[in-house]
Amino acid sequence: KVRIPVEPLTKQHKGYAFVTMTSHVEAQDCINALHGAELGGRELTVEISKRSAPHPKTPGIYKGTPHEEHSVAAGHVSEPLSEPAATCS
């Protein structure tokens, strides 16, 4: 799953994306393959995403997805991409 944040008013991408991986190993392999790689003349920063605020408390029942997801953040993307420009393998 890929999520590319955009500015609400202009609908222009913010220059980064979030990619959800199926495992921590897959996420780490992606980081190892793409961190520092060049895309569109710019160097990619690829790392495990960090939350700026904690998750809200749940009412005592886990309501998340049935499997654990691992997100990777890719920064310094200079142009919108209509198809994958880089792969983790």
Side-chain angles (χ1 to χ4, degrees):
K1 175 171 80 170
V2 176
R3 185 172 63 85
I4 302 172
V6 296
E7 291 291 340
L9 296 176
T10 64
K11 304 298 183 207
Q12 291 183 337
H13 67 91
K14 294 183 176 187
Y16 59 92
F18 296 96
V19 180
T20 301
M21 304 297 189
T22 57
S23 72
H24 180 73
V25 171
E26 185 181 16
Q28 192 60 52
D29 287 346
C30 188
I31 291 168
N32 294 341
L34 296 177
H35 184 71
E38 188 178 311
L39 178 65
R42 299 188 66 185
E43 186 176 309
L44 291 177
T45 300
V46 182
E47 59 189 13
I48 299 292
S49 62
K50 302 171 189 95
R51 288 188 146 290
S52 59
H55 289 280
K57 298 240 182 220
T58 61
I61 301 170
Y62 179 69
K63 295 188 176 216
T65 57
H67 56 56
E68 189 175 338
E69 294 181 335
H70 303 273
S71 294
V72 174
H76 303 288
V77 179
S78 61
E79 58 191 59
L81 304 172
S82 58
E83 59 185 60
T87 61
C88 295
S89 51

